[in-house]
């Protein structure tokens, strides 16, 4: 069995790729390295440095004839999506459409799509289940919602099997500290460089999910007989100020935070209900925040020492 992973050189992508290799799947990565590097791609993987938006993608599908597609490649910055909505659309909507057309043309067995909690917008109730109303607050969120709808219509019209996974806040080893997606990697980076961490607000809560649990969900979704849309989360809330406290404690750091007001547009509380994924995909989050943070710290400390 061969799986083509778009965005496979990225943070979540590399964890998925390692999981697939453990399962003896053949892996092909399509990634334009716009927010990643080739350095960590395992040797046994076939790698194409191209954009999923280009017609060249068809040649790769024709040559590799993958059985499955895991579609992770995206413009992931909310800020950039607001600055340049057209670029966000070309990547996240047109790029997804190009991937989908190739899935149909080459009779792919199933596509797994990385969506986001961002599709829900401001929560009307907690925990947010999959039936919660959707109100995207950024072009990034809108592009994820639109891509989801394209996938569902492709499935209706062309019998494409799919799982859409809506991730909460993913963290873990290898996350880029400069991407706005990763408050944990940003804090870690600041603390390891002996800087005072910048704390926007602090009382707001997020649902942090460890990246290996996410890779596990992607793998289970790939093999599952079911189609569907699933939250992938821990169904728990952590205050950002408490998260910082845990990191400082683990690193023995006494650098006091620089307090800033909550950023405009930041959601106050977020927690995703993961009951459906547990029931239908037989998945569960195996890492507590404490365990996940220790693994992440271990990795970052080593990387920082190099
Ligand atoms: N990290 C999170 O907390 C989180 C939360 C919700 C959803 N997601 C989604 O999960 C997916 C993976 O996110 P990540 O955190 O690993 O981000 P990442 O930036 O580390 O990975 C994305 C990868 O896609 C590649 N890429 C971007 N545009 C491309 C294009 N046009 N063609 C080919 N490759 C392209 C990048 O080079 C990168 O390697 C994304 O779709 C993201 O929206 C992530």
């Amino acid at each position: 069995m061969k799986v083509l992973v778009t965005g496979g050189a990225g943070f979540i992508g590399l964890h998925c790729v390692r999981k697939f290799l453990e399962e003896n799947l053949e892996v092909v990565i399509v990634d334009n390295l716009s927010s990643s590097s080739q350095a960590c791609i395992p040797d046994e993987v076939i790698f194409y440095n191209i954009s999923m938006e280009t017609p060249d993608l068809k040649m790769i599908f024709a040559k590799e004839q993958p059985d499955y597609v895991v579609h992770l490649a995206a413009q992931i910055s909310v800020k950039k999506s607001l600055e340049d909505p057209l670029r966000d659309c070309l990547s996240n909507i047109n790029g997804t459409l190009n991937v989908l057309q190739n899935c149909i043309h080459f009779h792919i067995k199933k596509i797994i799509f990385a969506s986001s909690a961002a599709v829900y917008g401001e929560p009307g109730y907690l925990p947010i289940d999959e039936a919660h109303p959707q109100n995207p607050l950024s072009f990034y969120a809108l592009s994820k919602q639109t891509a989801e709808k394209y996938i569902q219509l492709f499935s209706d019209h062309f019998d494409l099997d799919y799982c859409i996974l809506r991730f909460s806040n993913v963290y873990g080893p290898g996350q880029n500290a400069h991407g706005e997606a990763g408050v944990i990697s940003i804090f870690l980076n600041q603390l390891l460089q002996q800087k005072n961490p910048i704390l926007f607000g602090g009382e707001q809560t997020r649902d942090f999910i460890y990246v290996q649990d996410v890779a596990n969900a992607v793998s289970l979704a790939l093999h599952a007989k079911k189609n569907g849309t699933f939250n992938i989360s821990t169904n728990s809330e952590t205050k950002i100020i408490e998260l910082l406290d845990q990191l400082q404690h683990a690193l023995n750091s006494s650098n006091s935070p620089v307090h800033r007001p909550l950023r405009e547009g930041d959601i106050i509380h977020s927690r995703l209900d993961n009951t459906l994924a547990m029931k239908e995909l037989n998945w569960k989050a195996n890492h507590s925040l404490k365990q996940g943070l220790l693994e992440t710290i271990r990795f970052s400390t080593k990387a920082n020492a190099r």
Side-chain angles (χ1 to χ4, degrees):
M1 288 294 174
K2 196 184 266 191
V3 54
L4 184 149
V5 186
T6 73
F11 163 53
I12 297 173
L14 280 172
H15 286 272
C16 291
V17 163
R18 287 190 208 106
K19 173 95 189 143
F20 296 146
L21 292 174
E22 277 166 28
E23 294 171 352
N24 289 321
L25 294 175
E26 282 182 71
V27 181
V28 177
I29 290 180
V30 170
D31 198 305
N32 67 356
L33 304 180
S34 53
S35 65
S36 54
S37 88
Q38 199 173 335
C40 298
I41 297 178
D43 291 341
E44 54 272 58
V45 167
I46 302 166
F47 170 57
Y48 293 93
N49 181 353
I50 67 143
S51 169
M52 58 164 169
E53 297 161 38
T54 64
D56 293 352
L57 188 65
K58 192 170 185 179
M59 290 185 305
I60 295 168
F61 270 78
K63 182 161 181 241
E64 299 296 342
Q65 298 285 333
D67 298 285
Y68 299 102
V69 169
V70 172
H71 179 33
L72 306 172
Q75 185 302 105
I76 65 159
S77 162
V78 169
K79 189 163 168 274
K80 280 189 193 159
S81 84
L82 294 168
E83 288 162 1
D84 192 350
L86 180 60
R87 175 87 296 283
D88 184 79
C89 167
L90 290 173
S91 179
N92 295 2
I93 300 177
N94 293 25
T96 299
L97 210 42
N98 195 25
V99 171
L100 284 171
Q101 284 187 322
N102 281 294
C103 287
I104 301 305
H105 191 86
F106 293 97
H107 308 290
I108 295 305
K109 293 191 174 74
K110 191 170 193 180
I111 182 170
I112 310 301
F113 175 62
S115 188
S116 166
V119 297
Y120 298 115
E122 191 67 53
Y125 56 85
L126 292 175
I128 300 169
D129 58 20
E130 289 81 354
H132 186 286
Q134 293 177 23
N135 182 24
L137 300 174
S138 68
F139 298 113
Y140 166 76
L142 180 63
S143 72
K144 287 289 176 188
Q145 186 197 37
T146 309
E148 284 193 11
K149 289 192 185 303
Y150 267 108
I151 291 168
Q152 283 154 351
L153 273 181
F154 266 76
S155 174
D156 290 348
H157 287 291
F158 308 113
D159 263 351
L160 175 67
D161 280 342
Y162 73 90
C163 274
I164 292 165
L165 304 180
R166 293 180 184 148
F167 305 148
S168 60
N169 289 65
V170 188
Y171 74 99
Q175 188 166 29
N176 189 336
H178 308 293
E180 66 180 295
V183 63
I184 290 180
S185 57
I186 293 169
F187 278 159
L188 255 180
N189 195 38
Q190 290 166 339
L191 292 171
L192 288 171
Q193 291 183 17
Q194 311 299 333
K195 291 183 182 155
N196 295 81
I198 311 226
L199 179 61
F200 294 95
E203 291 299 311
Q204 72 274 32
T205 59
R206 293 293 179 268
D207 181 338
F208 292 105
I209 177 84
Y210 189 59
V211 66
Q212 278 176 14
D213 288 327
V214 169
N216 202 16
V218 171
S219 162
L220 286 167
L222 196 76
H223 301 296
K225 295 272 178 281
K226 313 226 173 205
N227 286 343
T229 302
F230 304 97
N231 288 339
I232 300 299
S233 62
T234 58
N235 199 358
S236 63
E237 280 173 82
T238 304
K239 282 186 186 177
I240 300 298
I241 194 160
E242 285 170 5
L243 167 76
L244 179 58
D245 196 57
Q246 283 197 46
L247 286 170
Q248 289 194 293
H249 187 74
L251 285 167
N252 214 2
S253 158
S254 54
N255 284 6
S256 44
V258 179
H259 291 273
R260 298 262 167 83
L262 193 65
R263 285 171 297 192
E264 206 185 324
D266 265 3
I267 283 168
I268 309 289
H269 296 296
S270 185
R271 172 156 63 106
L272 297 192
D273 189 333
N274 57 15
T275 315
L276 199 62
M278 287 171 61
K279 190 165 155 247
E280 302 284 335
L281 301 178
N282 205 15
W283 170 86
K284 73 177 171 55
N286 286 319
H287 294 78
S288 66
L289 183 63
K290 192 173 175 194
Q291 286 170 321
L293 287 181
L294 285 178
E295 290 296 321
T296 311
I297 289 170
R298 207 170 293 145
F299 176 89
S300 300
T301 312
K302 261 197 223 155
N304 207 48
R306 271 188 230 123

